[in-house]
Amino acid sequence: MTAPAGVVDRRRSRWVGALIGIGVMAAVDEIVFHQMLAWHHFYDRGTPEIALLSDGLLHAAELVVLVAGIFLVADLARRSALSRVGLSSGTLLGAGAFQVFDGVVHHKVLRVHQVRYDVDLLPYDVAWILAGVLLMAAGVLVGRRGRREARIP
Amino acid sequence: MTTRIVAWAPSAALAAMLLAPYLAALRLRPATLRPHPPWRTAAWVCGATLAAAAVSPVVTALAHNDHRAHMAQHLVLGMYAPVALVAGVPLALALGSTPAHVGRRMSHVLRSRLARCATHPVTGAVLSVGALFALYLTPLYALSHAHPALGWAVLVHFLLAGYLFAWSIAGADPAPHRPAFATRLAVLVVAAGAHAYLAKTLFARATEDGGLHHGSLAEAARWMYYGGDGAEILLATLLFAAWYRQRDPVRGMAARAGVSHP
């Protein structure tokens, strides 16, 4: 289940990081694009019912995930099992994966909302999904560097 | 003067009903037991104050003419007051302050099949969030505005259902047969998701025809959406705080040995 106290648990740290990355990215999306830039709105006319429902569930899950992340990190730290490399690479991977999911599934498949309205969407969609891919790549790189460092005696 | 006293009666009665037994139990708590955590008492007092304020004539009068005030009343009575009251662990306090045979009777009642079904998170979710669907998507909302008795019944229902839901999700009182942590977390997410979905649906309805006549309705729906978030975060925090306490390598062992740490 969990490693004994005092043993760094990188796998668990990475998973916890991924959770936090997903939650943070979802919250950033909501706060920056919905509230501050108002690019897409609280509700878009013509939103299908199923999209409203998935949106509600995702929103609820995102908040719980953020709270969970805080307590999971606290728990790992208390047992001295927190791997900083695992946590940061996991966070980047989670944030990137969410961004890609949001760009592909939410914007294009379910069409909950678009990134922006009354403009050519292609550059925005590409930027959105590319940003996610870059974040994931960064997560992989951080994880690799951490592995190399760990091998240095 | 008399009318004013009558108007404040529900608030006063509610505050007295919630505070008197709790404070009495605190006084009666045997010195041999660990002291009741002060923050729990503060949470209970806070919840009682919120609930009493929500049914005060000031708020009720506002709620009658403005959908936003009605929504604020609902948020406080159905979510925030219950969460604060649940954090006060009244059952744990009662068990410590009453004679053993009363405690045995209480746990016997709690163990019954009926109590088990009634206190399941799904029951709480259906009674609180499900009732919101019934209220806002049927003529019930208009009726509750037209008939004061029905209006009061709705308010009482939301306080009780809200308490039941919050307790079933994040209650820290001793309870036989509490469902697994994962079950409670899943029900919380689904219930909060349904709540957010209803809020957006109401917002959509209010803004369908330009939203000019329904400015306060749309605004109320927005309050419902974000107000629900706050309550969900609080419940999740209480739930994870309990999880964190029981994972403590030191205290966790004591807890598993049957010594409770509320």
Side-chain angles (χ1 to χ4, degrees), chain B:
Chain B
M1 190 60 213
T2 14
T3 50
R4 182 176 288 188
I5 291 172
V6 169
W8 279 92
S11 281
L14 186 57
M17 270 183 335
L18 290 169
L19 291 173
Y22 196 91
L23 297 175
L26 268 181
R27 283 203 66 97
L28 291 172
R29 192 172 173 83
T32 47
L33 288 176
R34 277 186 336 118
H36 191 62
W39 80 268
R40 299 247 181 229
T41 304
W44 180 269
V45 172
C46 177
T49 312
L50 281 174
V55 296
S56 71
V58 184
V59 178
T60 348
L62 279 173
H64 213 73
N65 314 317
D66 188 335
H67 297 292
R68 284 167 306 186
H70 161 85
M71 190 53 72
Q73 186 181 33
H74 260 227
L75 290 173
V76 171
L77 210 55
M79 298 198 292
Y80 290 93
V83 170
L85 291 170
V86 162
V89 291
L91 268 181
L93 180 68
L95 282 170
S97 300
T98 47
H101 70 271
V102 179
R104 270 197 296 274
R105 168 95 46 92
M106 270 183 1
S107 59
H108 187 73
V109 170
L110 276 172
R111 272 203 189 88
S112 68
R113 187 170 295 243
L114 178 69
R116 241 158 87 178
C117 293
T119 58
H120 195 275
V122 171
T123 315
V126 168
L127 283 174
S128 57
V129 181
L132 284 170
F133 280 78
L135 179 67
Y136 294 129
L137 301 179
T138 67
L140 191 57
Y141 181 57
L143 282 173
S144 73
H145 268 278
H147 303 284
L150 189 60
W152 279 108
V154 167
L155 290 179
V156 170
H157 171 89
F158 278 109
L159 178 63
L160 294 175
Y163 185 86
L164 183 67
F165 178 61
W167 187 83
S168 69
I169 295 286
D173 310 83
H177 315 294
R178 251 196 210 294
F181 174 83
T183 309
R184 293 190 274 158
L185 195 61
V187 174
L188 174 62
V189 169
V190 172
H195 187 275
Y197 162 76
L198 179 64
K200 275 206 182 176
T201 303
L202 293 174
F203 182 87
R205 286 187 175 194
T207 52
E208 250 163 16
D209 46 6
L212 290 173
H213 338 290
H214 295 305
S216 103
L217 257 182
E219 214 42 42
R222 201 190 283 267
W223 283 22
M224 177 180 175
Y225 184 81
Y226 290 114
D229 287 359
E232 185 198 356
I233 290 173
L234 286 173
L235 278 176
T237 304
L238 284 176
L239 183 55
F240 276 100
W243 170 87
Y244 185 75
R245 274 198 305 274
Q246 66 107 80
R247 271 183 73 90
D248 187 329
V250 181
R251 282 173 73 183
M253 261 187 283
R256 276 188 290 275
V259 186
S260 73
H261 282 282

Side-chain angles (χ1 to χ4, degrees), chain A residues 88-145:
Chain A
S88 42
S89 71
T91 304
L92 289 164
L93 279 167
F98 176 83
Q99 187 75 345
V100 171
F101 173 86
D102 187 46
V104 176
V105 178
H106 252 178
H107 295 171
K108 299 290 119 190
V109 180
L110 283 175
R111 307 191 81 82
V112 177
H113 50 237
Q114 298 302 334
V115 181
R116 252 193 114 160
Y117 293 88
D118 311 320
V119 290
D120 182 11
L121 267 178
L122 187 68
Y124 285 96
D125 283 331
V126 169
W128 199 269
I129 293 164
L130 194 66
V133 172
L134 285 175
L135 278 169
M136 286 177 82
V140 172
L141 283 175
V142 169
R144 280 209 176 153
R145 269 194 47 193

